[in-house]
Amino acid sequence: MRVQDEQFGMIVDYEDIRQNIHKVYDYIYPEYNLLAATRVATEYAEDDPSISITVGASALAYSILIAAEEYELAAQLKDKIFTLGWTEEHCGSDLLSIRTQATPMSDNPNERNFHIKGSKWLINCSFHADYHLILAKTDPNQDGPRSLSFFLVPQSSCKNWERLETHVLRGMVLTKFDIDGPGVQVGKLGHGLSIIQRMALPSKYQCTSMGVRMLHGSIPAAVEWLGEKRIFGSNPLQFSNVFRQMYDITLKGALYDFMFFRAAALNENGFLQFHGTTLKSFLLLRINEVLSKNWLTVGSKGFVAQSVIGRDAIDSFVLPVFDGHYTINTLMTAKHADRYLGAELHMDMEEQLHRLSQNLYEERPGSEIEANPKEVRKPPFFSYAGYLNQFGVPLPIDWEELIQKCREITDEIEVLGLGSEPEYRYKTGELIHWLESLQAACELWKLTHENNYLNTIVIQYNGVVNHVNTIISEGSLSAEFMLPARQVPISGDTSDPVAFLKRLLNVRAMVRQMPAMSAGD
Ligand SMILES: Cc1cc2nc3c(=O)[nH]c(=O)nc-3n(C[C@H](O)[C@H](O)[C@H](O)COP(=O)(O)OP(=O)(O)OC[C@H]3O[C@@H](n4cnc5c(N)ncnc54)[C@H](O)[C@@H]3O)c2cc1C
């Protein structure tokens, strides 16, 4: 899957990718199947993150053609590698300040052929690609939301590639390069930003799926190694300190895995963006943390180059950054805070769990790539406390009080005039993400009836508490600090810790072994 290249050393095998990438595109067009496309990409990559991301980046670029409704091109170009040609060295998230320019080839107002001139930076696959989806401006003096357009630029219009080696994904080849040649308009002129927004809705799920696959590889590998190695006459996993750390990592890994598939299952009815932004920021940051902790706990074995444990911990760091910085995603969630915390709509627990147990892990065609960003701006949130009160969680958590506390915090932020500060918008977005992860933990427990997952609820609750207390502390707010909750004793037979932890990690099996919930159960 990797080849020794004379110029670049050991890199992903672009020729093999070119021959196989249509298998991923086939799940993007003519029918869009989000989970199947990500599964096929990671299966092809055999979970090598450099290959997954190379294929994933090309698939995201290909999906720009769909978001721009360029179906003929999408049908014709299934055996090509594409790049996402957005970033320039001087700008990252601030795409409106790009400088690459597109000049029409004639005076015809309907001209679709342009001369593209500019430079792109840190672009994956750019030396080996067949086509680039280049973001450019027809008028470099404009910087409004209608100033950006997409162009399909062949490799022959590019030059001066210079490899940029990175700390992550070292099998990929990223370059900076110049463009000076013809390109064809993709979508309508001035619609670049709205095409990105449309394509970005499902792309957040694709990017996160790679983080989730890393959990699947790294945590069991750590559990197995710690259960097999012998030091001081025992397996490290038998030491209570190591076991407790791996128990914590396992519970978090199980929840994060569940949160991904839950988001994919519940992303209808306007929730596409809300769940996607939670995944792309909150979940991927938590995945970084848990993979790092996993690596530290396992020790030296994780540092060996062949080990997935160290590799995935390092590579996971890029996931919340590229293809939309996590900050931007968190700021998007902050816009929902008032509606999220104040929602009164009743959500029936049985109905929601039924929906989940029907849709979890199902690879079904959907219209995520065609969703209009405007339609996902107001998801119909429901009463948080009203929903969780139905769960009968046997922990001393008062859901009404929790939501009341969060509202007290956001109200005080407003009263102090801090509501429009990026710092507080970010903190508010994070607060909503923590609350959503706590809700997911309750669903995980209820769907599996697994008592150890009560501790997942406690961990997420304490995450909310910690976040609220940080806001109070850093902002010197007058609100009272919150108290954390106590975990319940570990339940079940832990005499075989490897089997015990691996069972808890296998959320899919645990959900499936429960009789499917039917509304009214
Ligand atoms: C390995 C790798 C591969 C990549 N591949 C590609 C590729 O193939 N194609 C491509 O086009 N790009 C690619 N990129 C670039 C990537 O998309 C950018 O990293 C991304 O756009 C974010 O930009 P940035 O990292 O420069 O950070 P910036 O956006 O410059 O952010 C810097 C800091 O400012 C903060 N910030 C940013 N905006 C705001 C705001 N509005 N309000 C408050 N704070 C803000 C952020 O939190 C961050 O802390 C790649 C990057 C990496 C690392």
Side-chain angles (χ1 to χ4, degrees), residues 1-200:
M1 298 295 276
R2 292 203 190 191
V3 287
Q4 184 66 38
D5 183 271
E6 271 182 23
Q7 192 176 354
F8 299 115
M10 193 59 97
I11 59 167
V12 305
D13 185 346
Y14 285 97
E15 261 325 300
D16 197 67
I17 290 175
R18 191 169 279 108
Q19 280 166 31
N20 286 286
I21 200 155
H22 68 91
K23 294 176 191 162
V24 181
Y25 297 161
D26 285 345
Y27 281 109
I28 296 175
Y29 181 78
E31 216 166 41
Y32 191 78
N33 190 324
L34 180 67
L35 284 186
T38 58
R39 177 183 50 76
V40 171
T42 41
E43 275 173 10
Y44 164 74
E46 294 175 357
D47 286 325
D48 177 334
S50 288
I51 303 172
S52 287
I53 304 271
T54 300
V55 172
S58 184
L60 289 184
Y62 178 82
S63 65
I64 288 176
L65 295 175
I66 314 301
E69 299 176 11
E70 296 283 3
Y71 303 120
E72 260 180 52
L73 285 174
Q76 278 165 20
L77 301 176
K78 282 206 172 179
D79 56 348
K80 305 297 181 201
I81 295 178
F82 298 88
T83 74
L84 291 162
W86 307 356
T87 304
E88 297 175 9
E89 191 163 2
H90 65 281
C91 65
S93 308
D94 181 16
L95 288 173
L96 292 175
S97 63
I98 60 163
R99 295 179 190 140
T100 297
Q101 195 174 347
T103 312
M105 297 281 208
S106 77
D107 293 336
N108 180 346
N110 297 321
E111 179 63 82
R112 294 186 69 85
N113 293 303
F114 284 71
H115 185 93
I116 315 295
K117 192 163 170 48
S119 298
K120 294 290 172 180
W121 180 80
L122 206 57
I123 307 297
N124 190 14
C125 307
S126 43
F127 184 77
H128 298 87
D130 303 296
Y131 288 99
H132 307 265
L133 266 304
I134 296 291
L135 201 57
K137 288 181 177 174
T138 48
D139 179 352
N141 297 318
Q142 296 293 321
D143 60 3
R146 285 294 183 100
S147 61
L148 303 177
S149 307
F150 267 113
F151 300 89
L152 185 67
V153 173
Q155 184 73 330
S156 55
S157 294
C158 304
K159 59 184 182 185
N160 300 336
W161 296 272
E162 198 180 306
R163 186 178 190 185
L164 299 169
E165 294 213 48
T166 52
H167 292 297
V168 293
L169 304 162
R170 297 175 67 85
M172 297 192 333
V173 179
L174 297 113
T175 76
K176 65 174 181 178
F177 64 100
D178 298 329
I179 311 153
D180 191 0
V184 178
Q185 180 187 325
V186 165
K188 292 183 186 151
L189 274 190
H191 283 230
L193 211 52
S194 58
I195 293 169
I196 288 182
Q197 284 172 346
R198 204 182 223 204
M199 162 270 184

Side-chain angles (χ1 to χ4, degrees), residues 171-239:
M172 297 192 333
V173 179
L174 297 113
T175 76
K176 65 174 181 178
F177 64 100
D178 298 329
I179 311 153
D180 191 0
V184 178
Q185 180 187 325
V186 165
K188 292 183 186 151
L189 274 190
H191 283 230
L193 211 52
S194 58
I195 293 169
I196 288 182
Q197 284 172 346
R198 204 182 223 204
M199 162 270 184
L201 291 170
S203 87
K204 299 176 203 307
Y205 293 76
Q206 188 187 333
C207 200
T208 310
S209 76
M210 293 180 197
V212 171
R213 290 292 292 208
M214 290 174 177
L215 295 175
H216 280 273
S218 286
I219 303 179
V223 168
E224 278 164 19
W225 175 246
L226 291 167
E228 174 190 322
K229 191 179 187 184
R230 284 195 77 77
I231 48 172
F232 303 109
S234 180
N235 310 123
L237 200 53
Q238 302 282 358
F239 304 149

